[in-house]
Amino acid sequence: MSDPKSESPASPADGTSPAPDASAGAGASSAGAAATSANPAQSASAGAAGAVTMTADAAAPSGGPHGSEGRGQAQVRRAPVVLGPLARLGQARHLGLVAALVLLAIVGLVTVPENFATTSNLVSILSLAATIGVITVGATFVIIGGGIDLSVGAVMALASVWATTLATQAYGPLIMIVCAVLVGAAAGLVNGFLIAYGRMVPFIATLAMLVAARGLAQRMSDRRTQLVQQGNEMIVQLSTTRVLGVPVLVYIFALVVVVGWVVLNRTTFGRRTYAVGGNPEAARLAGINVRRHTMMLYALSGLCCGIAAVLIMARTTTGSSTHGDLYELDAIAAVIIGGTLLTGGRGSIIGSILGLLIFTVITNLFILNGLNTSDQLIAKGLIIVVAVLLQRRSLESRT
C-alpha cells in the first residue's frame, strides 16, 4: 500500500517546474478578494479614485507553500488602473465645471469686453476667491466626512477680531497670525468635540457656534472695526505685495489648495475621511477611530478659518465682527457645485475650487454690469437648487 505523501507531484527529472495547481490559484484569488473586502476604508478610497485589479500569473505548486525546491513561486502582475464609475463621474463633472467657467468668460467678453479681460480684473477675481477658497477647502473635508459646518464665517470674524485687539497687536504681526490660526482651530475643536463626543447633530452644534462666535466677536470689539496698527504692516503686505503680478495672498490660497489635495488624496487621513463619510459603522469595524477623526475634521475646518482671517485682515486692514457674513453659505454652495455629496463619502478639492470660481466670476460679472446684488443672490440660489437636483438625478441613474 503506497504512502499518500508519495502521491504528491514531484519535480520532473529534466528540472522543469511542475504545472501550476488550479485549486491553489483559486485559493489565492479568493484570499485576495477577502483581504480587499475586509477593509472598508480602502474600499471607500478605491471607489473614489478607481479600482486597481491584480492578476496572478502563476500560483504556488501543491508540493508546498513555497514550491518545490524554491521553484514555481507565485508571480503577481499589476494590471493597468481601471477607473471606477465614481472616478469617471467625477472627471465628467470637472469637465462640466470647466465648461461653465468658459461659458461665463464668454459672457464677460460679450457684455463688458473692455473691463472683464484685463489683468487687474483677473487678479481681483483671484483675490476675492482666496479668502472664501481657504474656507472652502476645510468645508470640503467636513462634508466628505459626513458633516456640515455653519460656523465658518463667524469663526473667521472672531479670529480676525481677536488678532487685531490692541493687546495682541502689541506683540507684532507674527503673534497676530498665530493668534488667528489658534482661535480658529480651537473653535473647530469645540465643534468637533460637541459633535463626536457630545453626540450633537452637526447642524445644531455649528449653528450654536455661529451665534456664539459672532456674539463674542461683537463683545470683544464693542461692535467697532479694529484697524491694523502701524508696525504690523507685514500682514497688509500679504495683499499689497505682488510676485509676478499676483498678490501673495493668492499664493497662500494656492498652497492651501495643494496641501488639502495631497492630504485628501495621498494620505491615510484622506482615505479615512472618505470611509467615515461613506459608512461610519464600516469604518469603525475597520479599526478607524470615527469620533477622533470627526473631531479632527472640524479642527481642520477651524484652522482654515484662522488662515482665512489672516487673509481678510490683509485685504481690509481691519478685524471686524461683520467679516465673513454668509461665507458659510458661499463655501457650502461651492462644495455642492463641485460635486461633493451632502451625505458624505464622495467629493474632491478640485471640484470645490472650480465651484468657487464659478460663483466668484458670477459675482464679478454682476458688479461689472452694474446689476443689483439682490439679483446676484437669487442667481446663486437657483444655481444651488439646480446643482442639487442634478446630483440627485445622477445618483438615481446609477442605482
Side-chain angles (χ1 to χ4, degrees), residues 10 13 22 26 31 56-57 136 179 212 281 291 302-303 318 346 356 375 387 391 395 397:
D57 292 336
T136 301
C179 176
E281 182 61 21
R291 291 186 180 182
L303 179 69
T318 63
R346 195 191 82 188
L356 170 69
D375 297 333
Q391 190 179 88
L395 290 175
S397 64

Side-chain angles (χ1 to χ4, degrees), residues 153-154 156-157 160 214 225 312-313 316 318-325 327:
M156 187 193 74
S160 71
R214 189 74 70 180
T225 299
I312 202 165
M313 287 190 298
T316 63
T318 63
S320 174
S321 60
T322 61
H323 283 334
D325 188 28
Y327 273 24

Side-chain angles (χ1 to χ4, degrees), residues 168-209:
T168 306
Q169 293 197 56
Y171 291 97
L174 292 179
I175 298 301
M176 292 174 63
I177 294 174
V178 172
C179 176
V181 172
L182 290 180
V183 169
L189 273 175
V190 172
N191 280 336
F193 182 83
L194 293 175
I195 293 167
Y197 295 97
R199 302 298 183 90
M200 291 184 67
V201 177
F203 181 90
I204 300 300
T206 57
L207 182 62
M209 178 59 72

